Amino acid sequence: MYKLILPVLFVLSSCGTQKSYEVGQINTPKGEILVWLYDETPNHKQSFLQLAKDGYWDSLTFNRVIPNFVAQGGCPDTPEGFKDPEYLLKPEFNEKLLHDYGALGAGRDNNPDKLSARCQFYIVHNAKGEHRLDGDYTVFGKVIKGMDVVDAIVNSPRDSIDQPLKPISMDVNIIKMGAKELQPFAVIE
């Protein structure tokens, strides 16, 4: 009996020491998308975490979908979304964080300070990237799982202003993942 208890105790004690990381989870009717948030953009990362934990996006949709460009979700393009100081962030441009396929970026209007509308985000769908946006829009994360879901979202039937004909709802959460779970995605060292 002593031999059986010892291995069980070792397994239980070693499980508690694994570091966990916060990962964005976007559940849609088309499937799950997981996003890694960059430490190099701390204000955008913290904003995403806070809004997700507050359930901000849970009543919103992917409101602009364009194949070979982006899937954009969050608040629609309204003055409230782009003018309310509570929802604006200073840009956090980083020459290493580019608009590659699967990049997670912050939406904004044409304001001269390039302030991000923290209530809106987009995922780059173009396989070649959207590098014309580099240095103008903040990239603060990347999709680590679910680009097939993004493909399905952007290829949904849409109207003349690129809004899906059938709303694509979002349930945005923050989940904890351990280093072993994240290993296949090469986001931690």
Side-chain angles (χ1 to χ4, degrees):
M1 184 150 189
Y2 180 74
K3 290 181 182 180
L4 292 176
I5 293 173
L6 190 58
V8 170
L9 290 176
F10 173 76
V11 169
L12 290 175
S13 66
S14 65
C15 290
T17 60
Q18 182 184 17
K19 183 176 178 176
S20 64
Y21 299 85
E22 292 182 308
V23 173
Q25 178 193 51
I26 306 167
N27 291 312
T28 77
K30 299 194 180 283
E32 176 191 60
I33 303 166
L34 296 181
V35 294
W36 180 255
L37 304 169
Y38 294 130
D39 290 334
E40 295 88 346
T41 54
N43 295 326
H44 283 73
K45 177 179 179 176
Q46 189 56 42
S47 174
F48 187 93
L49 293 170
Q50 184 238 321
L51 290 176
K53 289 175 183 177
D54 289 351
Y56 176 85
W57 290 296
D58 295 350
S59 65
L60 300 174
T61 63
F62 278 95
N63 60 328
R64 185 173 175 227
V65 297
I66 306 172
N68 296 314
F69 183 47
V70 297
Q72 179 176 302
C75 71
D77 295 345
T78 62
E80 295 79 27
F82 292 113
K83 304 289 186 235
D84 186 343
E86 181 184 350
Y87 287 100
L88 297 175
L89 287 175
K90 290 182 180 176
E92 294 180 287
F93 302 136
N94 183 313
E95 62 186 30
K96 294 180 182 174
L97 304 179
L98 304 176
H99 284 84
D100 295 324
Y101 180 69
L104 178 69
R108 69 169 179 81
D109 66 1
N110 290 323
N111 69 79
D113 296 324
K114 300 180 181 181
L115 300 174
S116 299
R118 62 188 283 246
C119 58
Q120 190 178 95
F121 61 85
Y122 59 86
I123 299 168
V124 174
H125 182 252
N126 188 333
K128 295 179 181 178
E130 283 295 335
H131 298 293
R132 64 189 171 89
L133 304 177
D134 294 341
D136 280 326
Y137 294 78
T138 298
V139 171
F140 65 96
K142 71 176 182 178
V143 173
I144 58 173
K145 179 184 175 198
M147 279 307 291
D148 57 325
V149 176
V150 176
D151 290 341
I153 291 169
V154 299
N155 287 303
S156 298
R158 60 192 192 284
D159 64 18
S160 62
I161 59 169
D162 299 311
Q163 187 171 1
L165 295 178
K166 182 178 177 186
I168 302 170
S169 61
M170 299 188 297
D171 176 21
V172 182
N173 305 290
I174 302 301
I175 60 172
K176 300 268 188 175
M177 294 181 73
K180 284 187 179 182
E181 293 172 284
L182 290 168
Q183 197 170 24
F185 308 118
V187 291
I188 56 174
E189 297 177 17

